[in-house]
Amino acid sequence: MAFVTRQFMRSVSSSSTASASAKKIIVKHVTVIGGGLMGAGIAQVAAATGHTVVLVDQTEDILAKSKKGIEESLRKVAKKKFAENPKAGGEFVEKTLSSIATSTDAASVVHSTDLVVEAIVENLKVKNELFKRLDKFAAEHTIFASNTSSLQITSIANATTRQDRFAGLHFFNPVPLMKLVEVIKTPMTSQKTFESLVDFSKALGKHPVACKDTPGFIVNRLLVPYLMEAIRLYERGDASKEDIDTAMKLGAGYPMGPFELLDYVGLDTTKFIVDGWHEIDVKNPLHQPSPFLNKLVAENKFGKKTGEGFYKYK
């Protein structure tokens, strides 16, 4: 009887271990790589929702600028959210900022993190080198995610030994205001990883949508061809950019016209995405380059961030 009991207990113990290993990761500690607009925004919303965050970039100067930007953004949020209670707003800002640490050494901080979110330059080689290095130092349970908007998640994940714990987590700019997050599942991403990232997105107050690892995911796959077709319409002389913008705002109910949006997103960013898709599928008419867009980018006219794109800005 004792032998049977021991066998039963072993069975229960083994079953419990298997069940525990299949449980979702509850993300509490987040490491964000990249202190630009996207990375800083992700760090802000994570810290504001009770997560401890380490924001990583190459220099202390970049990180100081990022932290300053986060503080300014938080004060705007607090002013609106705590309009009737400025003291509570101030406490919210201070508490959120205290949850964000900074570092210039990613490898030294990923050993105790639950999730690494990468938001660096859109360059596959650079991303692969980063994740290959971090893979050696991160804990076994740590999930890796890329915020790429145009590169294939699978190609980035293949640089690591944790393809089952790798996915896309695509936020939208400005992160504190935009509710959508695209959660990208590769053929190798485990269901446990996918569900953990969906739960994390919800914990941030975002609305996650699921998509397979297809070029552009959902939003950009539909948006970029629309923007490119607007450019072609203008290039052919069929309509002015002003009338095209007005038509889409008044006729389709869009908050911005395609040329206004192109200038906001950055013409260099749009060109990068289209060029990448064109390399993958040369014959696809939706992915054909635009001579006029190429010309503007060659002249360093990227849109609002440079003061001129399709429109001029003061």
Side-chain angles (χ1 to χ4, degrees):
M1 185 67 180
F3 174 77
V4 173
T5 302
R6 283 197 301 272
Q7 288 293 93
F8 174 74
M9 291 305 292
R10 281 198 197 106
S11 175
V12 170
S13 175
S14 175
S15 174
S16 297
T17 302
S19 175
S21 68
K23 285 182 180 177
K24 291 180 285 186
I25 301 293
I26 299 174
V27 176
K28 295 180 180 178
H29 307 288
V30 184
T31 299
V32 180
I33 314 292
L37 276 177
M38 295 304 294
I42 295 166
Q44 176 183 323
V45 296
T49 49
H51 301 83
T52 57
V53 179
V54 180
L55 181 61
V56 180
D57 213 309
Q58 294 176 318
T59 70
E60 294 292 350
D61 286 345
I62 294 173
L63 290 167
K65 185 179 178 182
S66 299
K67 204 81 185 281
K68 184 181 178 183
I70 291 171
E71 182 175 356
E72 289 172 355
S73 177
L74 282 169
R75 294 203 181 282
K76 290 178 184 176
V77 172
K79 189 174 182 181
K80 186 175 181 180
K81 188 175 180 180
F82 300 94
E84 303 299 320
N85 191 346
K87 184 182 177 183
E91 291 171 353
F92 164 76
V93 172
E94 294 307 316
K95 183 181 178 182
T96 302
L97 287 173
S98 70
S99 297
I100 304 174
T102 59
S103 175
T104 56
D105 185 5
S108 69
V109 298
V110 297
H111 59 86
S112 60
T113 196
D114 300 316
L115 172 65
V116 174
V117 182
E118 166 271 313
I120 63 173
V121 63
E122 287 285 77
N123 182 300
L124 181 60
K125 184 181 178 182
V126 175
K127 290 181 190 290
N128 281 348
E129 288 173 354
L130 171 70
F131 279 117
K132 184 176 181 179
R133 180 164 176 261
L134 297 185
D135 194 33
K136 299 173 184 176
F137 296 94
E140 186 71 18
H141 78 280
T142 303
I143 296 171
F144 283 0
S146 175
N147 182 59
T148 181
S149 60
S150 61
L151 299 175
Q152 188 182 42
I153 300 297
T154 304
S155 298
I156 306 172
N158 284 342
T160 75
T161 59
R162 63 181 77 211
Q163 289 97 330
D164 60 319
R165 285 150 289 156
F166 204 116
L169 205 57
H170 184 216
F171 292 82
F172 291 81
N173 188 35
V175 180
L177 299 180
M178 299 294 278
K179 287 291 185 182
L180 186 68
V181 176
E182 292 175 324
V183 183
I184 313 305
K185 187 178 182 183
T186 78
M188 299 168 290
T189 306
S190 70
Q191 187 63 21
K192 170 184 170 181
T193 296
F194 172 74
E195 290 178 3
S196 297
L197 290 177
V198 167
D199 287 352
F200 171 67
S201 301
K202 290 178 179 177
L204 299 183
K206 303 300 184 186
H207 190 119
V209 294
C211 185
K212 291 182 179 179
D213 191 16
T214 185
F217 316 136
I218 298 173
V219 174
N220 282 338
R221 186 61 175 268
L222 297 174
L223 179 62
V224 173
Y226 152 72
L227 296 175
M228 293 303 295
E229 193 56 33
I231 297 173
R232 294 185 190 106
L233 196 66
Y234 173 62
E235 281 178 327
R236 291 193 301 266
D238 294 337
S240 69
K241 58 182 182 290
E242 292 84 2
D243 281 352
I244 294 170
D245 277 350
T246 299
M248 293 311 296
K249 286 187 286 187
L250 300 184
Y254 290 4
M256 300 174 77
F259 294 99
E260 292 171 328
L261 184 56
L262 280 158
D263 278 356
Y264 180 78
V265 169
L267 306 190
D268 55 329
T269 302
T270 303
K271 173 176 159 53
F272 180 85
I273 294 171
V274 171
D275 288 350
W277 292 358
H278 182 61
E279 285 181 20
I280 297 170
D281 190 358
V282 177
K283 295 182 180 179
N284 193 325
L286 295 176
H287 303 164
Q288 296 306 306
S290 155
F292 193 70
L293 176 63
N294 291 347
K295 177 178 179 292
L296 289 175
V297 172
E299 295 171 351
N300 291 320
K301 296 175 181 176
F302 299 160
K304 292 194 77 171
K305 60 186 173 184
T306 59
E308 184 176 354
F310 282 102
Y311 296 111
K312 289 184 178 181
Y313 304 87
K314 292 182 179 179

